[in-house]
Amino acid sequence: MIDFTLTDEQKQLQQLARDFTRKEIIPIAAEYDQKEELPWQVVEKAFEVGLLNIAIPEHAGGLGLGMLDECIIGEELAYGCMGIYTVLMASELGITPILVGGTEEQQKRFLGPLTEKPALAAFALSEPNNGSDAAAMHTTAVLDGDEWVINGTKMWISNGGIAEVTVVFATTDRQGGHRATVAIVVPKDAPGFSYNKIKHKMGQRASLTSELVFENVRVPRENQLGGLGDGFKIAMKTLDKTRIPVAAGSVGVARRALEESLKYAKQREAFGKPISDFQAIQFKLANMAMGVETGRLMTWKAAWLVDQGLPHGFESAIAKAYCSEMAFDAANEAIQVHGGYGYVAEYPVEKLLRDVKLNQIYEGTNEIQRVVISRNLLR
Protein backbone atom coordinates (compact mmCIF):
# COMPACT_ATOMS: atom_id res chain seq x y z
CA MET A 1 0.00 0.00 0.00
CA ILE A 2 1.41 3.41 -0.96
CA ASP A 3 0.82 6.33 1.39
CA PHE A 4 1.82 9.90 0.54
CA THR A 5 0.57 11.34 3.82
CA LEU A 6 3.14 12.98 6.07
CA THR A 7 3.14 11.99 9.72
CA ASP A 8 2.08 14.53 12.33
CA GLU A 9 5.74 14.94 13.28
CA GLN A 10 6.73 15.60 9.66
CA LYS A 11 3.95 18.14 9.28
CA GLN A 12 5.26 19.91 12.37
CA LEU A 13 8.80 19.90 10.96
CA GLN A 14 7.49 21.29 7.68
CA GLN A 15 5.63 24.10 9.43
CA LEU A 16 8.61 24.85 11.66
CA ALA A 17 10.90 25.16 8.64
CA ARG A 18 8.32 27.20 6.71
CA ASP A 19 7.87 29.67 9.57
CA PHE A 20 11.63 29.87 10.10
CA THR A 21 12.17 30.62 6.42
CA ARG A 22 9.61 33.42 6.30
CA LYS A 23 10.87 34.99 9.52
CA GLU A 24 14.65 34.48 9.37
CA ILE A 25 15.67 33.85 5.75
CA ILE A 26 13.46 35.68 3.25
CA PRO A 27 13.85 39.14 4.87
CA ILE A 28 17.67 39.00 4.63
CA ALA A 29 18.27 36.84 1.55
CA ALA A 30 18.80 39.70 -0.92
CA GLU A 31 21.03 41.62 1.49
CA TYR A 32 23.45 38.75 2.07
CA ASP A 33 23.43 37.85 -1.60
CA GLN A 34 24.62 41.38 -2.36
CA LYS A 35 27.14 41.42 0.51
CA GLU A 36 28.45 37.95 -0.40
CA GLU A 37 28.47 37.02 3.26
CA LEU A 38 27.29 34.02 5.23
CA PRO A 39 24.59 35.16 7.71
CA TRP A 40 25.88 33.46 10.85
CA GLN A 41 22.86 34.61 12.82
CA VAL A 42 20.74 32.23 10.73
CA VAL A 43 23.01 29.35 11.75
CA GLU A 44 22.58 30.36 15.39
CA LYS A 45 18.81 30.61 15.10
CA ALA A 46 18.59 27.32 13.20
CA PHE A 47 20.48 25.70 16.08
CA GLU A 48 18.09 27.24 18.60
CA VAL A 49 14.98 25.83 16.93
CA GLY A 50 16.47 22.43 16.04
CA LEU A 51 17.00 22.81 12.29
CA LEU A 52 20.81 22.50 12.30
CA ASN A 53 22.69 19.21 11.87
CA ILE A 54 19.48 17.22 12.13
CA ALA A 55 20.98 13.94 10.88
CA ILE A 56 23.30 13.50 13.89
CA PRO A 57 22.10 10.25 15.52
CA GLU A 58 20.66 10.08 19.00
CA HIS A 59 23.63 8.12 20.36
CA ALA A 60 25.81 11.15 19.49
CA GLY A 61 23.38 13.60 21.08
CA GLY A 62 21.41 14.56 17.96
CA LEU A 63 17.86 14.23 16.72
CA GLY A 64 18.58 11.37 14.35
CA LEU A 65 16.10 12.55 11.72
CA GLY A 66 15.75 10.61 8.49
CA MET A 67 16.40 11.59 4.90
CA LEU A 68 12.72 12.25 4.14
CA ASP A 69 12.59 14.57 7.16
CA GLU A 70 15.68 16.35 5.84
CA CYS A 71 14.08 16.79 2.41
CA ILE A 72 10.84 18.14 3.83
CA ILE A 73 12.83 20.74 5.77
CA GLY A 74 15.20 21.41 2.88
CA GLU A 75 12.46 22.31 0.42
CA GLU A 76 11.17 24.94 2.82
CA LEU A 77 14.58 26.49 3.54
CA ALA A 78 15.60 26.62 -0.12
CA TYR A 79 12.30 28.35 -0.91
CA GLY A 80 13.72 31.29 1.03
CA CYS A 81 17.31 31.20 -0.24
CA MET A 82 19.23 28.38 -1.87
CA GLY A 83 22.52 29.92 -0.75
CA ILE A 84 21.57 30.02 2.93
CA TYR A 85 20.13 26.51 2.65
CA THR A 86 23.46 25.33 1.23
CA VAL A 87 25.19 26.41 4.45
CA LEU A 88 22.98 24.05 6.46
CA MET A 89 22.87 21.34 3.79
CA ALA A 90 26.66 21.32 3.38
CA SER A 91 26.99 20.71 7.11
CA GLU A 92 24.85 17.61 6.69
CA LEU A 93 27.14 16.68 3.79
CA GLY A 94 30.14 16.94 6.12
CA ILE A 95 28.38 14.85 8.76
CA THR A 96 27.39 12.04 6.38
CA PRO A 97 30.83 10.42 5.77
CA ILE A 98 31.24 10.18 9.54
CA LEU A 99 27.91 8.33 9.64
CA VAL A 100 28.86 6.18 6.65
CA GLY A 101 32.43 5.29 7.59
CA GLY A 102 32.89 6.16 11.25
CA THR A 103 32.57 3.98 14.31
CA GLU A 104 30.04 4.81 17.00
CA GLU A 105 32.91 6.17 19.13
CA GLN A 106 34.04 8.44 16.28
CA GLN A 107 30.49 9.64 15.72
CA LYS A 108 30.20 10.62 19.37
CA ARG A 109 33.64 12.26 19.37
CA PHE A 110 33.25 14.29 16.16
CA LEU A 111 29.51 14.91 16.03
CA GLY A 112 28.63 15.28 19.71
CA PRO A 113 30.21 18.77 19.92
CA LEU A 114 28.09 19.89 16.95
CA THR A 115 24.98 19.35 19.06
CA GLU A 116 26.20 21.63 21.85
CA LYS A 117 26.56 24.93 19.98
CA PRO A 118 25.94 26.49 16.54
CA ALA A 119 28.64 24.74 14.50
CA LEU A 120 29.11 23.38 11.00
CA ALA A 121 30.80 20.46 9.26
CA ALA A 122 32.36 20.34 5.78
CA PHE A 123 33.21 17.79 3.08
CA ALA A 124 36.48 18.24 1.16
CA LEU A 125 36.79 16.11 -1.96
CA SER A 126 37.15 18.38 -5.03
CA GLU A 127 40.49 19.90 -5.99
CA PRO A 128 41.56 22.66 -8.42
CA ASN A 129 42.21 20.13 -11.19
CA ASN A 130 39.94 17.37 -10.02
CA GLY A 131 36.17 17.61 -9.87
CA SER A 132 34.22 14.81 -11.50
CA ASP A 133 37.35 12.61 -11.60
CA ALA A 134 37.23 12.23 -7.84
CA ALA A 135 39.79 9.44 -7.60
CA ALA A 136 42.50 11.48 -9.32
CA MET A 137 43.24 13.56 -6.24
CA HIS A 138 46.61 15.12 -5.55
CA THR A 139 46.17 15.86 -1.84
CA THR A 140 48.40 13.39 -0.02
CA ALA A 141 48.24 11.75 3.39
CA VAL A 142 51.42 10.15 4.71
CA LEU A 143 51.44 8.08 7.88
CA ASP A 144 54.11 9.20 10.34
CA GLY A 145 53.89 7.05 13.45
CA ASP A 146 50.41 7.55 14.86
CA GLU A 147 49.68 10.66 12.79
CA TRP A 148 48.55 11.42 9.28
CA VAL A 149 50.42 14.27 7.61
CA ILE A 150 48.26 15.98 4.97
CA ASN A 151 49.51 18.20 2.15
CA GLY A 152 47.54 19.65 -0.76
CA THR A 153 44.69 21.90 -1.80
CA LYS A 154 40.94 21.40 -1.93
CA MET A 155 38.60 23.60 -3.97
CA TRP A 156 34.93 24.63 -3.99
CA ILE A 157 34.39 23.56 -0.39
CA SER A 158 31.13 24.79 1.17
CA ASN A 159 31.64 25.96 4.76
CA GLY A 160 35.34 25.51 4.10
CA GLY A 161 37.55 26.90 6.85
CA ILE A 162 34.82 27.80 9.32
CA ALA A 163 33.53 24.26 9.90
CA GLU A 164 34.44 22.71 13.25
CA VAL A 165 35.25 19.44 11.49
CA THR A 166 36.12 18.80 7.85
CA VAL A 167 36.24 15.34 6.31
CA VAL A 168 39.24 15.45 3.97
CA PHE A 169 39.79 12.88 1.24
CA ALA A 170 43.40 12.23 0.30
CA THR A 171 45.61 9.64 -1.37
CA THR A 172 48.49 7.68 0.07
CA ASP A 173 49.82 7.05 -3.46
CA ARG A 174 49.02 9.30 -6.42
CA GLN A 175 49.36 6.31 -8.75
CA GLY A 176 47.17 4.10 -6.59
CA GLY A 177 43.72 5.19 -7.77
CA HIS A 178 40.68 4.27 -5.64
CA ARG A 179 42.60 1.77 -3.53
CA ALA A 180 44.96 4.42 -2.14
CA THR A 181 42.31 6.84 -0.87
CA VAL A 182 41.68 7.66 2.76
CA ALA A 183 39.08 9.79 4.61
CA ILE A 184 40.37 11.80 7.58
CA VAL A 185 38.54 14.15 9.94
CA VAL A 186 40.46 17.42 10.36
CA PRO A 187 39.55 19.88 13.14
CA LYS A 188 39.26 23.58 12.36
CA ASP A 189 42.22 24.57 14.52
CA ALA A 190 44.72 22.07 13.11
CA PRO A 191 48.13 23.81 12.58
CA GLY A 192 48.91 24.28 8.88
CA PHE A 193 45.24 24.27 7.86
CA SER A 194 44.10 27.52 6.18
CA TYR A 195 41.45 28.70 3.74
CA ASN A 196 40.76 31.36 1.12
CA LYS A 197 37.23 32.56 0.41
CA ILE A 198 36.15 32.25 -3.23
CA LYS A 199 34.57 35.55 -4.24
CA HIS A 200 32.35 36.87 -7.03
CA LYS A 201 30.24 33.74 -7.47
CA MET A 202 27.34 33.89 -9.90
CA GLY A 203 24.86 32.81 -7.21
CA GLN A 204 24.52 31.25 -3.77
CA ARG A 205 26.56 34.18 -2.50
CA ALA A 206 25.22 33.84 1.04
CA SER A 207 27.10 30.56 1.37
CA LEU A 208 30.84 30.36 2.00
CA THR A 209 32.79 28.54 -0.70
CA SER A 210 36.50 28.15 -0.06
CA GLU A 211 39.84 26.89 -1.20
CA LEU A 212 41.43 24.82 1.58
CA VAL A 213 45.19 24.61 1.95
CA PHE A 214 46.95 21.87 3.91
CA GLU A 215 50.61 22.37 4.75
CA ASN A 216 51.97 19.48 6.82
CA VAL A 217 48.70 19.24 8.71
CA ARG A 218 49.00 16.56 11.36
CA VAL A 219 46.00 14.71 12.76
CA PRO A 220 45.85 11.54 14.87
CA ARG A 221 45.50 8.25 13.07
CA GLU A 222 42.33 7.68 15.10
CA ASN A 223 40.71 10.42 12.98
CA GLN A 224 40.72 8.09 9.96
CA LEU A 225 37.30 6.87 8.86
CA GLY A 226 37.20 3.23 7.79
CA GLY A 227 40.25 1.44 6.53
CA LEU A 228 43.08 2.37 4.22
CA GLY A 229 41.65 2.53 0.72
CA ASP A 230 38.10 3.16 1.91
CA GLY A 231 38.14 6.91 1.21
CA PHE A 232 36.69 6.81 -2.29
CA LYS A 233 33.99 4.33 -1.28
CA ILE A 234 32.99 6.52 1.69
CA ALA A 235 32.86 9.60 -0.56
CA MET A 236 30.66 7.89 -3.16
CA LYS A 237 28.29 6.45 -0.56
CA THR A 238 28.03 9.90 0.96
CA LEU A 239 27.18 11.58 -2.35
CA ASP A 240 24.61 8.87 -3.17
CA LYS A 241 22.73 10.13 -0.11
CA THR A 242 23.43 13.83 -0.07
CA ARG A 243 22.47 14.60 -3.63
CA ILE A 244 18.88 13.95 -2.51
CA PRO A 245 18.71 17.13 -0.38
CA VAL A 246 20.05 19.02 -3.42
CA ALA A 247 16.98 17.76 -5.28
CA ALA A 248 14.76 18.87 -2.38
CA GLY A 249 16.32 22.33 -2.45
CA SER A 250 15.71 22.51 -6.18
CA VAL A 251 12.05 21.75 -5.63
CA GLY A 252 11.93 24.60 -3.12
CA VAL A 253 13.43 27.02 -5.64
CA ALA A 254 10.99 25.89 -8.33
CA ARG A 255 8.05 26.29 -5.95
CA ARG A 256 9.20 29.84 -5.15
CA ALA A 257 9.49 30.57 -8.89
CA LEU A 258 5.94 29.33 -9.42
CA GLU A 259 4.44 31.26 -6.51
CA GLU A 260 6.22 34.50 -7.42
CA SER A 261 5.03 34.10 -11.02
CA LEU A 262 1.46 33.42 -9.96
CA LYS A 263 1.42 36.50 -7.76
CA TYR A 264 2.91 38.74 -10.43
CA ALA A 265 0.75 37.38 -13.26
CA LYS A 266 -2.43 38.12 -11.30
CA GLN A 267 -1.34 41.71 -10.64
CA ARG A 268 0.31 42.71 -13.93
CA GLU A 269 -2.07 43.89 -16.61
CA ALA A 270 -1.62 44.01 -20.37
CA PHE A 271 -4.18 44.78 -23.04
CA GLY A 272 -6.72 45.60 -20.35
CA LYS A 273 -6.56 42.40 -18.28
CA PRO A 274 -4.22 40.46 -15.98
CA ILE A 275 -1.53 38.57 -17.88
CA SER A 276 -2.66 35.43 -16.00
CA ASP A 277 -5.62 35.44 -18.41
CA PHE A 278 -3.34 34.73 -21.35
CA GLN A 279 -2.79 31.12 -22.30
CA ALA A 280 0.91 31.70 -22.98
CA ILE A 281 1.37 32.62 -19.31
CA GLN A 282 -0.96 29.87 -18.11
CA PHE A 283 1.12 27.25 -19.90
CA LYS A 284 4.30 28.52 -18.24
CA LEU A 285 2.64 28.26 -14.84
CA ALA A 286 1.31 24.79 -15.65
CA ASN A 287 4.77 23.58 -16.67
CA MET A 288 6.25 24.89 -13.43
CA ALA A 289 3.58 23.11 -11.39
CA MET A 290 4.18 19.86 -13.29
CA GLY A 291 7.87 20.09 -12.52
CA VAL A 292 7.41 20.86 -8.83
CA GLU A 293 4.99 17.98 -8.25
CA THR A 294 6.92 15.33 -10.18
CA GLY A 295 10.27 16.47 -8.78
CA ARG A 296 9.03 16.30 -5.21
CA LEU A 297 7.70 12.80 -5.72
CA MET A 298 11.00 11.54 -7.13
CA THR A 299 12.91 13.22 -4.32
CA TRP A 300 10.69 11.68 -1.68
CA LYS A 301 11.00 8.25 -3.29
CA ALA A 302 14.80 8.43 -3.19
CA ALA A 303 14.68 9.68 0.42
CA TRP A 304 12.28 6.90 1.41
CA LEU A 305 14.67 4.31 -0.02
CA VAL A 306 17.50 5.72 2.11
CA ASP A 307 15.34 5.59 5.23
CA GLN A 308 14.40 1.98 4.46
CA GLY A 309 18.04 0.98 4.07
CA LEU A 310 17.46 0.05 0.41
CA PRO A 311 19.67 0.77 -2.65
CA HIS A 312 19.05 4.32 -3.81
CA GLY A 313 21.89 5.48 -6.09
CA PHE A 314 19.81 5.25 -9.28
CA GLU A 315 16.88 7.15 -7.83
CA SER A 316 18.99 9.81 -6.13
CA ALA A 317 20.83 10.51 -9.39
CA ILE A 318 17.52 10.91 -11.24
CA ALA A 319 16.12 13.17 -8.52
CA LYS A 320 19.20 15.41 -8.41
CA ALA A 321 19.53 15.80 -12.19
CA TYR A 322 15.82 16.16 -12.92
CA CYS A 323 15.01 18.56 -10.09
CA SER A 324 17.97 20.87 -10.63
CA GLU A 325 17.22 21.18 -14.35
CA MET A 326 13.50 21.54 -13.72
CA ALA A 327 14.16 24.30 -11.17
CA PHE A 328 16.50 26.14 -13.52
CA ASP A 329 13.82 26.06 -16.21
CA ALA A 330 11.19 27.25 -13.73
CA ALA A 331 13.36 30.18 -12.61
CA ASN A 332 14.07 31.06 -16.23
CA GLU A 333 10.37 31.05 -17.08
CA ALA A 334 9.63 33.10 -13.96
CA ILE A 335 11.93 35.81 -15.32
CA GLN A 336 10.04 35.63 -18.61
CA VAL A 337 6.71 36.01 -16.83
CA HIS A 338 8.05 39.08 -15.01
CA GLY A 339 9.42 40.57 -18.24
CA GLY A 340 11.90 43.40 -17.69
CA TYR A 341 11.22 43.40 -13.95
CA GLY A 342 12.41 39.81 -13.78
CA TYR A 343 15.84 40.89 -14.97
CA VAL A 344 16.51 43.22 -12.04
CA ALA A 345 16.92 42.62 -8.31
CA GLU A 346 13.68 44.46 -7.44
CA TYR A 347 12.00 41.05 -7.77
CA PRO A 348 13.51 37.81 -6.42
CA VAL A 349 13.31 35.70 -9.57
CA GLU A 350 16.68 36.69 -11.08
CA LYS A 351 18.34 35.47 -7.88
CA LEU A 352 16.49 32.16 -8.14
CA LEU A 353 18.09 31.55 -11.52
CA ARG A 354 21.57 32.52 -10.37
CA ASP A 355 21.31 30.39 -7.23
CA VAL A 356 19.88 27.23 -8.70
CA LYS A 357 22.42 26.98 -11.52
CA LEU A 358 24.90 25.60 -8.99
CA ASN A 359 22.52 22.73 -8.21
CA GLN A 360 23.36 21.34 -11.65
CA ILE A 361 27.05 21.32 -10.78
CA TYR A 362 27.84 20.56 -7.14
CA GLU A 363 27.60 17.17 -5.43
CA GLY A 364 28.21 15.59 -8.81
CA THR A 365 27.48 17.38 -12.08
CA ASN A 366 24.34 16.36 -13.91
CA GLU A 367 26.55 14.74 -16.52
CA ILE A 368 27.92 12.50 -13.76
CA GLN A 369 24.35 11.76 -12.66
CA ARG A 370 23.64 10.52 -16.17
CA VAL A 371 26.70 8.29 -15.96
CA VAL A 372 25.30 6.81 -12.72
CA ILE A 373 21.85 6.36 -14.27
CA SER A 374 23.11 4.75 -17.47
CA ARG A 375 25.44 2.37 -15.60
CA ASN A 376 22.47 1.19 -13.57
CA LEU A 377 20.49 0.63 -16.76
CA LEU A 378 23.30 -1.29 -18.45
CA ARG A 379 24.35 -3.34 -15.43
Side-chain angles (χ1 to χ4, degrees), residues 173-193:
D173 177 3
R174 288 179 178 171
Q175 309 303 318
H178 298 177
R179 291 181 296 277
T181 58
V182 64
I184 304 169
V185 181
V186 178
K188 181 170 70 172
D189 59 358
F193 178 24

Side-chain angles (χ1 to χ4, degrees), residues 103-169:
T103 64
E104 187 168 311
E105 183 278 329
Q106 287 176 318
Q107 291 169 10
K108 290 179 180 177
R109 177 154 47 98
F110 297 129
L111 301 181
L114 301 185
T115 68
E116 297 168 0
K117 64 178 183 179
L120 302 171
F123 175 94
L125 177 63
S126 294
E127 298 183 357
N129 296 309
N130 148 26
S132 296
D133 187 7
M137 62 185 74
H138 283 236
T139 298
T140 59
V142 176
L143 200 56
D144 181 18
D146 289 330
E147 292 183 318
W148 283 108
V149 183
I150 306 170
N151 282 281
T153 303
K154 294 294 182 178
M155 196 69 169
W156 316 117
I157 309 305
S158 297
N159 300 339
I162 64 168
E164 291 295 315
V165 292
T166 300
V167 180
V168 179
F169 296 87

